[in-house]
Amino acid sequence: MRPQAAGGRRAASPNVCSLLARRAHGFYARDAGVAHRQNLGLLRKIMCQESTKFKNVWTTHSSSPIAYERGRIYLDNYQCCVSSIAQEPRILYQKPKCSKSEKIEDALLLESPLGEMLPSPSDYKSSLIVLTVQNWLLRLSADTGEILEKIYLAGSCCKFRYLSWDTPQEVMVVKSAQNKLPAAARQAGIQQSVLFYLAVFQVLPLSFIGMLEINKKIFGNSVTDVAVSNGILIVMCSMGLVRLYNFQAISEQFMEQPFDLGHEFNWNGQVGVVGKYPFGLPCNIKITDTPPLLFEASSLENAFQIGGYPWHYIITPNKKKHKGVFHICSLKDNALAKNGIQDMKCCSLEPDWIYFHPDMSGRIIHVGPDLIKVLKLKEVKNNTDQMEIAEDFTIVANRENCVNSAVTVTASGRVVKKRFNLLDDDPEQETFKIVDYEDELDLLSTVAVTQIGADGRAHLDLHCNERGILLKSIPLLESWDVTYSHEVYFDKDLVLHIEQKPNGRFSCYVYQMVCDTAKDDECSSHEKTERAFCKKGGRIFEYI
């Protein structure tokens, strides 16, 4: 039965063409994406309510690094996986302790693409791509640890160590450590011309694109590092030089022969199967001449970033005295933007840092010890060819109680002059340590720390990404030592703090959102509370 309008009249039928046009542009009221966005909007509102708290539900410790990926905590070199979603630790899988030869060097989380037909049912679930010390590339089930695919990369000619995305969730790059000759070989005058190897794969289904070598004879003797990102081959050289090349053009021009994983091949006198032991992968992209240079820049410590709209890049002039000074220039003509020199003039042990905002808005985030600036690019009035840097909003650390006077007067009336001033990032003053962006909730998160003596306190603040307004402050109950290494993850209704101590011990503190107002004091109190301990899978967990 059709819906009736007021007064008993039949409601007008919606325009079918209009609905189809809106759906083609991504607007459809019953679409799963629309429902998901609405749910995230509700979650954000609930989270920012004053009565909503984050409770430290459990903690664990480890003698090896701890990693976090999308609701999963990986321990013991990825041999143990614990769900962070449940209020109690739930072990998803526990594998036997691996030998040193099976040690995992690096890992990437691989998630199923939407709207694509995949060859295997397991491809529709999240998986983990891991690289072992013996040059094996494995695809594991993220929930069970089962090996889904196994690829042998190469023999002892190189040691692959690093995984990265060229295009996130589409094209993956496996990079070797820098090739270095033994001391005896160098003393004998033997030259090492190949510095790095890069193996490139399309993911889901996993397919081999090609392998290439970075050779001194082609790229010069000064090469120190290399990367592939967004279709660009980035070559870093000594003295701060950064060179950009078109990777797709290189692979098309210098590809000698394409190969498919699992197929037999005859290559340079070797007969084997692509991706199988002992042959591995053929180096089928042979660069025989210097490829065309897209762009070149000189920057201190090779620091170079591209982003914004229209395209701009950020560098630091290549002199030590300019450390902490950032130039924002047009990629089109290298012109410095108006107000494009950003300098906070910090006097601190740790330098300030700058980067393009990951929300794809083209804005820039500049973080100092006590100040976060969110900057935007906009056209100069009466000059559409030039862009200027303008301040969108700022976030300032709470230093209201900070007294840094050069002269103090004692109770007896004696005047005492300080011989030195506090650093901008002195531990006794609130200092920004981490700034991140939660894309699903569109929130900017900051971690600020104050340490007096041995007792350090940190809080995670959630800010409106559009205006910078403080929406929520979450205290981290554990003591924060500024001399330790820290990572903080804010993932929707979860906060995770991973701490590394100098003695090689790691700790993981898991916080979850709770809406029970009766537990407000328990969730936010820094006072020590009773803890319970339990053992699961041979691991001890602490509960509050």
Side-chain angles (χ1 to χ4, degrees):
M1 182 177 179
R2 288 179 179 265
Q4 298 291 315
R9 291 176 300 163
R10 180 174 290 178
S13 299
N15 187 314
V16 175
C17 293
S18 174
L19 282 177
L20 290 174
R22 284 176 58 79
R23 187 173 189 180
H25 287 87
F27 301 103
Y28 189 62
R30 296 180 183 177
D31 187 82
V34 172
H36 184 61
R37 285 192 294 273
Q38 289 175 342
N39 289 341
L40 290 174
L42 289 172
L43 176 61
R44 173 172 159 154
K45 287 180 181 178
I46 293 170
M47 183 180 298
C48 294
Q49 289 176 352
E50 189 176 349
S51 60
T52 302
K53 306 294 179 183
F54 278 78
K55 178 183 177 182
N56 179 204
V57 289
W58 57 268
T59 300
T60 191
H61 307 278
S62 173
S63 58
S64 60
I66 300 173
Y68 173 76
E69 290 285 357
R70 294 281 185 177
R72 302 175 187 89
I73 299 168
Y74 294 97
L75 306 151
D76 299 335
N77 196 233
Y78 294 91
Q79 299 304 296
C80 177
C81 179
V82 182
S83 171
S84 61
I85 297 172
Q87 284 211 345
E88 293 186 2
R90 180 166 61 90
I91 295 179
L92 297 178
Y93 66 81
Q94 174 84 58
K95 300 170 79 174
K97 188 175 181 180
C98 65
S99 64
K100 288 184 178 181
S101 63
E102 297 174 308
K103 180 188 173 187
I104 292 172
E105 295 282 0
D106 205 354
L108 287 176
L109 182 70
L110 182 56
E111 297 188 289
S112 172
L114 297 175
E116 290 188 24
M117 294 294 292
L118 300 173
S120 171
S122 65
D123 294 342
Y124 292 96
K125 296 183 179 180
S126 297
S127 55
L128 202 65
I129 299 282
V130 301
L131 176 63
T132 74
V133 72
Q134 294 288 352
N135 284 347
W136 284 95
L137 189 69
L138 310 177
R139 186 165 76 90
L140 312 176
S141 166
D143 294 324
T144 66
E146 176 192 356
I147 297 177
L148 304 175
E149 289 184 79
K150 192 173 182 179
I151 298 169
Y152 186 64
L153 299 174
S156 59
C157 63
C158 62
K159 293 293 183 183
F160 284 98
R161 289 290 177 269
Y162 311 102
L163 296 176
S164 62
W165 291 114
D166 171 17
T167 304
Q169 301 298 325
E170 291 183 21
V171 180
M172 176 183 66
V173 181
V174 190
K175 187 178 82 170
S176 73
Q178 185 171 350
N179 281 352
K180 291 182 180 180
L181 285 172
R186 291 196 299 268
Q187 290 171 2
I190 300 173
Q191 295 291 319
Q192 173 66 277
S193 60
V194 178
L195 295 171
F196 298 94
Y197 287 91
L198 299 174
V200 185
F201 295 85
Q202 189 86 28
V203 298
L204 286 180
L206 201 58
S207 59
F208 176 56
I209 294 175
M211 179 157 36
L212 68 153
E213 57 187 31
I214 302 300
N215 198 308
K216 284 183 184 179
K217 295 177 182 178
I218 302 298
F219 295 99
N221 294 321
S222 61
V223 175
T224 58
D225 203 357
V226 65
V228 178
S229 178
N230 294 293
I232 301 295
L233 175 65
I234 305 165
V235 178
M236 285 152 275
C237 306
S238 57
M239 306 304 293
L241 202 62
V242 180
R243 294 188 176 116
L244 307 185
Y245 303 90
N246 186 327
F247 178 73
Q248 184 176 350
I250 289 172
S251 61
E252 290 174 357
Q253 180 181 352
F254 298 106
M255 173 82 73
E256 295 189 346
Q257 182 182 338
F259 290 94
D260 293 324
L261 293 173
H263 287 210
E264 288 189 2
F265 72 94
N266 189 330
W267 184 254
N268 293 336
Q270 285 187 320
V271 178
V273 178
V274 181
K276 299 295 184 182
Y277 183 86
F279 302 103
L281 303 173
C283 190
N284 60 337
I285 301 176
K286 290 283 188 182
I287 305 177
T288 55
D289 195 11
T290 306
L293 184 67
L294 292 180
F295 188 82
E296 183 178 82
S298 179
S299 181
L300 188 66
E301 298 174 349
N302 299 108
F304 177 81
Q305 302 176 65
I306 296 178
Y309 182 80
W311 292 107
H312 279 67
Y313 64 90
I314 303 173
I315 60 169
T316 294
N318 199 9
K319 292 184 179 178
K320 286 187 178 180
K321 67 178 182 180
H322 291 307
K323 189 165 188 177
V325 179
F326 303 100
H327 287 199
I328 304 169
C329 306
S330 168
L331 190 65
K332 179 182 177 181
D333 55 11
N334 296 318
L336 182 70
K338 185 179 179 181
N339 303 324
I341 299 178
Q342 296 294 312
D343 183 7
M344 283 194 176
K345 302 186 185 299
C346 303
C347 180
S348 57
L349 291 175
E350 297 183 8
D352 52 327
W353 70 96
I354 193 168
Y355 59 99
F356 286 100
H357 200 311
D359 69 351
M360 306 302 289
S361 64
R363 294 181 295 175
I364 296 167
I365 299 177
H366 189 184
V367 185
D370 62 339
L371 179 66
I372 299 170
K373 288 184 180 180
V374 177
L375 310 168
K376 61 184 178 182
L377 286 159
K378 67 176 189 178
E379 289 183 353
V380 174
K381 279 188 178 180
N382 304 321
N383 185 1
T384 56
D385 292 332
Q386 188 185 13
M387 304 296 289
E388 71 173 313
I389 306 300
E391 198 173 274
D392 200 14
F393 62 83
T394 61
I395 300 172
V396 183
N398 181 16
R399 294 188 171 182
E400 294 178 359
N401 299 325
C402 174
V403 178
N404 190 20
S405 175
V407 179
T408 56
V409 181
T410 65
S412 62
R414 186 166 61 92
V415 175
V416 179
K417 292 185 178 181
K418 288 184 180 179
R419 293 186 177 182
F420 58 88
N421 293 321
L422 289 176
L423 293 171
D424 290 330
D425 61 348
D426 188 278
E428 294 187 5
Q429 305 176 102
E430 184 171 273
T431 303
F432 292 117
K433 294 294 183 182
I434 298 171
V435 178
D436 204 356
Y437 173 62
E438 217 298 335
D439 58 343
E440 293 185 285
L441 299 179
D442 195 29
L443 292 172
L444 199 64
S445 64
T446 66
V447 176
V449 180
T450 307
Q451 180 167 332
I452 300 175
D455 189 30
R457 293 298 173 196
H459 55 90
L460 173 71
D461 290 347
L462 308 180
H463 297 263
C464 168
N465 185 47
E466 291 301 314
R467 299 183 181 180
I469 300 167
L470 178 63
L471 302 175
K472 188 80 175 176
S473 187
I474 303 167
L476 302 181
L477 305 187
E478 63 277 4
S479 180
W480 182 297
D481 191 316
V482 295
T483 63
Y484 297 171
S485 176
H486 299 267
E487 294 175 81
V488 174
Y489 297 91
F490 169 50
D491 192 357
K492 295 193 286 292
D493 59 346
L494 173 81
V495 173
L496 199 82
H497 173 203
I498 298 175
E499 171 189 68
Q500 180 183 358
K501 298 178 181 178
N503 61 2
R505 293 288 296 175
F506 294 80
S507 299
C508 178
Y509 306 90
V510 179
Y511 290 77
Q512 291 181 351
M513 186 179 79
V514 292
C515 299
D516 187 355
T517 55
K519 296 183 179 180
D520 283 0
D521 294 337
E522 177 187 338
C523 296
S524 58
S525 173
H526 283 284
E527 294 180 7
K528 290 186 178 180
T529 55
E530 287 188 11
R531 289 180 174 268
F533 296 87
C534 78
K535 195 170 184 179
K536 292 185 177 182
R539 177 171 299 280
I540 296 175
F541 296 90
E542 299 177 25
Y543 298 87
I544 293 182

